[in-house]
Amino acid sequence: MIKPLEDYVVLSVKKEEKTTASGIILATEDKDKPAMGKVISIGPKVENIKVNDEVIYQSYAGTKVKLKEVEYLLVQSKNILAIIEE
């Protein structure tokens, strides 16, 4: 597991669908990266964010890390814009 330091948060990023339900492949235009993810781990200085929260983060923020074939994103808590509440 990744244990972030300071005010960093580890996110599992939601992937964009590249095909429709009927199997039509979508064009590969330059689109904004997905900006939603699930909090996997938080650093000791993070406030107001908990593990398992679904969040919206600033596009193009953070550092991608691949660990055991799973891709994570490390972002500073200031780059998390909102928590999704259902």
Side-chain angles (χ1 to χ4, degrees):
M1 183 45 105
I2 301 171
K3 182 179 177 183
L5 303 175
E6 300 296 326
D7 65 340
Y8 280 85
V9 177
V10 178
L11 300 176
S12 172
V13 179
K14 288 188 176 184
K15 298 289 182 184
E16 256 185 88
E17 291 295 323
K18 299 193 192 258
T19 58
T20 63
S22 61
I24 297 172
I25 298 173
L26 300 174
T28 56
E29 301 171 2
D30 270 348
K31 296 180 183 177
D32 285 339
K33 292 184 347 179
M36 295 174 64
K38 183 176 180 180
V39 177
I40 302 300
S41 184
I42 60 173
K45 293 187 178 181
V46 175
E47 297 178 3
N48 303 321
I49 300 169
K50 302 181 303 293
V51 172
N52 293 323
D53 278 349
E54 295 220 8
V55 297
I56 300 171
Y57 60 89
Q58 197 168 29
S59 294
Y60 303 103
T63 302
K64 289 182 183 179
V65 176
K66 196 168 191 176
L67 184 65
K68 296 183 181 181
E69 302 302 317
V70 179
E71 192 172 286
Y72 298 100
L73 182 68
L74 279 102
V75 297
Q76 283 187 295
S77 59
K78 69 180 180 182
N79 292 319
I80 295 177
L81 305 175
I83 297 171
I84 300 169
E85 296 180 348
E86 293 183 28

